[in-house]
Amino acid sequence: MPTPKTIEAIYEDYRNRREGLLLALIDDAKELYAAAGPERENLCLYGHPDGNWSVDLPTEEVPPELPEPVLGINFARDGMERKDWLALCAVHSDAWLMSLAFFYAARFDADGRAELFSLINQHPTVYEVVTGRVARNKMYKRKIPKQQTTAAHAAVASQAAALAAFEEPNPFVRPGYQAADQPLPTGRLLTAEDVSPALTGRQAELFWPDDGKWYLIQFNAIYMDSRKADVQYATGEFEQLDLDEVIRDGHCSLLA
């Protein structure tokens, strides 16, 4: 895959690799445990840009082309409780994700690095999710860097112009969008019966308990097997929702 060079591309690479690691440490934990046998040589846990994971030997290239995950996760496997081993793998996975993101961002200035970190920091760490401290689909409110230099503004504008040359504008994204204190009266709470491929393209409002606001979203994809959905906010940001969770909590209002 091509090396990510823009803030947006590095952030997407981070999100996909993080999702692969969460898949390994939560959904496929039994498979991961079996694959990381201590009888094997030093093994690393990799999250891949396509959202998958693997346990493999480290690259033989010295120094490696990219930062490598921690070495030898399999040797610690049988010396601790399974949940503690998974938590340890999660901590090291977080460190690797950050090192990889900022390896790609090495040529950015302070403002570029702050912008990238503000995007990454919307997500709970892999450790927080694996240990059950926060929900998997949790998104923290993004803290926009307070100051940006003229050069940083120019860089962001240049990246946006380059992307616009290849992408059709999305009429759903609304610059300057502000979340609401109350849901729109034209909406109703999402129910289990609503979950179907027909939700794709529908708009809704999502409640964030952190700030008590309702955010306008659009369903981009529905995954019936996992009961999850890819959504986009009117601000342009993306998230994957656990549909059963937002239905249970009454945090999603489907618009007519």
Side-chain angles (χ1 to χ4, degrees), residues 54-122:
S54 65
V55 170
D56 209 342
L57 296 172
T59 180
E60 295 182 359
E61 185 179 1
V62 179
E65 182 181 356
L66 297 173
E68 285 284 296
V70 69
L71 183 66
I73 60 167
N74 50 318
F75 294 146
R77 193 195 74 172
D78 291 350
M80 58 180 66
E81 295 289 333
R82 181 177 299 200
K83 64 179 180 62
D84 295 331
W85 178 73
L86 292 171
L88 178 65
C89 291
V91 169
H92 284 297
S93 295
D94 283 316
W96 176 61
L97 287 172
M98 293 298 286
S99 69
L100 193 57
F102 284 90
F103 175 85
Y104 289 137
R107 292 180 175 83
F108 292 168
D109 63 9
D111 291 316
R113 295 192 300 272
E115 175 74 9
L116 176 61
F117 182 74
S118 75
L119 290 168
I120 289 174
N121 205 38
Q122 298 175 105

Side-chain angles (χ1 to χ4, degrees), residues 24-25 28-37 45 53 55 73 85-86 89:
L25 293 163
D28 298 342
K30 290 183 179 179
E31 292 89 337
L32 170 63
Y33 194 82
L45 172 59
W53 64 275
V55 170
I73 60 167
W85 178 73
L86 292 171
C89 291

Side-chain angles (χ1 to χ4, degrees), residues 18 122-124 134-140 209-210 239 245:
R18 174 181 175 274
Q122 298 175 105
H123 301 272
V134 296
R136 186 168 179 171
N137 67 330
K138 169 77 174 178
M139 289 282 283
Y140 296 118
D210 286 352
E239 182 180 3
E245 182 176 308

Side-chain angles (χ1 to χ4, degrees), residues 137-247:
N137 67 330
K138 169 77 174 178
M139 289 282 283
Y140 296 118
K141 188 173 182 181
R142 184 181 172 196
K143 296 180 180 179
I144 306 297
K146 292 183 178 179
Q147 294 183 343
Q148 284 192 332
T149 63
T150 302
H153 281 299
V156 171
S158 175
Q159 290 170 3
L163 289 171
F166 294 96
E167 298 179 356
E168 291 294 325
N170 185 347
F172 175 69
V173 176
R174 307 175 185 182
Y177 167 79
Q178 297 292 321
D181 293 325
Q182 298 292 332
L184 291 171
T186 55
R188 61 171 177 79
L189 289 180
L190 186 72
T191 68
E193 289 71 28
D194 293 318
V195 179
S196 75
L199 265 183
T200 305
R202 294 283 301 274
Q203 294 183 12
E205 289 179 300
L206 186 66
F207 180 70
W208 278 26
D210 286 352
D211 58 9
K213 301 284 188 181
W214 290 84
Y215 290 81
L216 183 64
I217 62 170
Q218 179 172 275
F219 291 100
N220 288 346
I222 307 297
Y223 305 104
M224 296 300 295
D225 54 342
S226 61
R227 305 278 292 178
K228 294 181 180 178
D230 289 337
V231 302
Q232 183 175 23
Y233 287 84
T235 55
E237 295 163 310
F238 295 89
E239 182 180 3
Q240 187 170 86
L241 294 182
D242 183 323
L243 292 170
D244 289 333
E245 182 176 308
V246 296
I247 290 170

